[in-house]
Amino acid sequence: MSTAPVRTVVADDQDLIRAGIAAVLEAADGIEVVGEAADGRAAAALARERAADVVLMDVQMPGLDGIAGIEAVVRARPETRVLMLTMFDLDEYVFGALRAGASGFLLKTTPPDELAAAIRAVHRGDLLFSPAVTRRLVETYVRRPPAGAVPEALSVLTPRETDVLRSMARGLSNAEIGRELYLGEATVKTHVTRILGKLGLRDRVQAVVLAYESGLV
């Protein structure tokens, strides 16, 4: 049985880059580019009109930038996942973009096959950034902790769920968490679902952000 392609919108203010990314994705298996946008506002409109599964969003754009664009996409079509593109592996916008509702981020130097795989992964609801990038994000954020962090927010979790969340915050996949905690992958998936439900979170990335904010990492 065939699987429907991942309907994708590409948002970048540079025409040549946007067209190049769209061409790469059109050539990839399982992805359909359903629209191109030059800013976040247009990306949100296309996500709604074209029922996009994923928006590939540049961070720095004129008009409505990537972070505001993420928020606009989430409002326009909550089920659409946003994958942000950046020139730098840890620029000042990354954490804000994740808090706004992005499902991960990629460098613009990402090889074409990895870009396509990342879009498919985000569509599945997977955590996207690598453990190395996650570690750098944590290290930078911990030096500038937010005011009024609320560790008690995690008190609804069981000890095992807390262990799973801590591993998620380190950027581990379900399989890696299972090996580390001696759990089956299906059991890890169940724990992740319960964590998101108990904490009222949209996806794994929001869980990771909360783990940073609470000081769990």
Side-chain angles (χ1 to χ4, degrees), residues 46-77:
L46 284 172
R48 182 181 61 252
E49 294 167 7
R50 309 286 172 82
D53 298 309
V54 175
V55 173
L56 189 62
M57 181 96 70
D58 188 22
V59 181
Q60 301 184 45
M61 295 183 290
L64 203 67
D65 68 12
I67 294 178
I70 292 165
E71 295 171 341
V73 169
V74 171
R75 288 194 303 269
R77 194 169 190 273

Side-chain angles (χ1 to χ4, degrees), residues 151-212:
E152 64 269 19
L154 305 183
S155 62
V156 297
L157 302 181
T158 67
R160 178 55 83 186
E161 289 166 350
T162 301
D163 290 340
V164 171
L165 177 57
R166 185 178 290 108
S167 296
M168 289 168 58
R170 290 167 45 217
L172 302 185
S173 67
N174 285 355
E176 291 167 335
I177 293 172
R179 288 194 293 271
E180 183 173 86
L181 300 180
Y182 303 101
L183 299 171
E185 191 169 348
T187 301
V188 174
K189 186 175 181 180
T190 297
H191 282 310
V192 171
T193 300
R194 289 175 178 168
I195 290 167
L196 298 182
K198 286 183 176 182
L199 299 177
L201 302 174
R202 179 171 180 261
D203 55 28
R204 293 175 71 110
V205 175
Q206 288 192 344
V208 171
V209 171
L210 180 59
Y212 299 159

